[in-house]
């Protein structure tokens, strides 16, 4: 990309709106993931007997391990949510912006 196009992209209000929107969305997802993770850490620290309790009576599979698996799946889903939004919304915005400033 030439310096001229680069400068036009940076000075375009659509670029500022796109980067601000993407930043807000990614921070929201990051805060949700951190809240879930820290809730798990606090539950492990403050209620270790709850986390060590069997998920179902008579099994050796503890609540804490099940919660850890659920958190891992949840984090993967949040990554998927971001990728879907980036591929659908932000890539389209980026293409439109490049088409506009590339004229």
């Amino acid at each position: 990309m030439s310096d001229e196009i680069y400068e036009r992209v940076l000075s375009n209000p659509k670029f500022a709106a796109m980067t601000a929107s993407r930043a807000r969305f990614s921070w929201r997802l990051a805060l949700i993931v951190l809240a879930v993770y820290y809730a798990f850490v606090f539950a492990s620290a403050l209620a270790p007997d709850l986390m060590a309790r069997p998920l179902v009576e008579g099994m050796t599979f503890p609540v804490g391990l099940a919660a850890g698996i659920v958190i891992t799946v949840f984090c993967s889903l949040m990554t998927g949510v971001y990728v879907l939004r980036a591929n659908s919304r932000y890539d389209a915005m980026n293409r439109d912006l490049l088409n506009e400033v590339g004229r």
Side-chain angles (χ1 to χ4, degrees), residues 26-96:
S26 57
W27 275 110
R28 283 184 195 133
L29 289 181
L31 290 174
I32 291 168
V33 167
L34 284 173
V36 169
Y37 175 73
Y38 280 111
F40 174 73
V41 170
F42 285 133
S44 298
L46 300 175
D49 30 327
L50 169 69
M51 296 304 231
R53 184 179 305 155
L55 190 59
V56 177
E57 204 57 47
M59 287 181 64
T60 58
F61 196 77
V63 170
L65 184 58
I69 291 169
V70 168
I71 289 170
T72 302
V73 170
F74 175 77
C75 291
S76 298
L77 289 174
M78 290 294 101
T79 301
V81 166
Y82 179 81
V83 168
L84 284 173
R85 181 135 180 205
N87 287 343
S88 63
R89 184 174 179 187
Y90 300 128
D91 283 355
M93 291 171 78
N94 191 35
R95 271 191 306 278
D96 292 343

Side-chain angles (χ1 to χ4, degrees), residues 2-17:
S2 72
D3 289 340
E4 179 186 336
I5 293 174
Y6 183 73
E7 289 300 321
R8 283 193 285 177
V9 167
L10 288 178
S11 63
N12 192 306
K14 288 182 180 179
F15 177 74

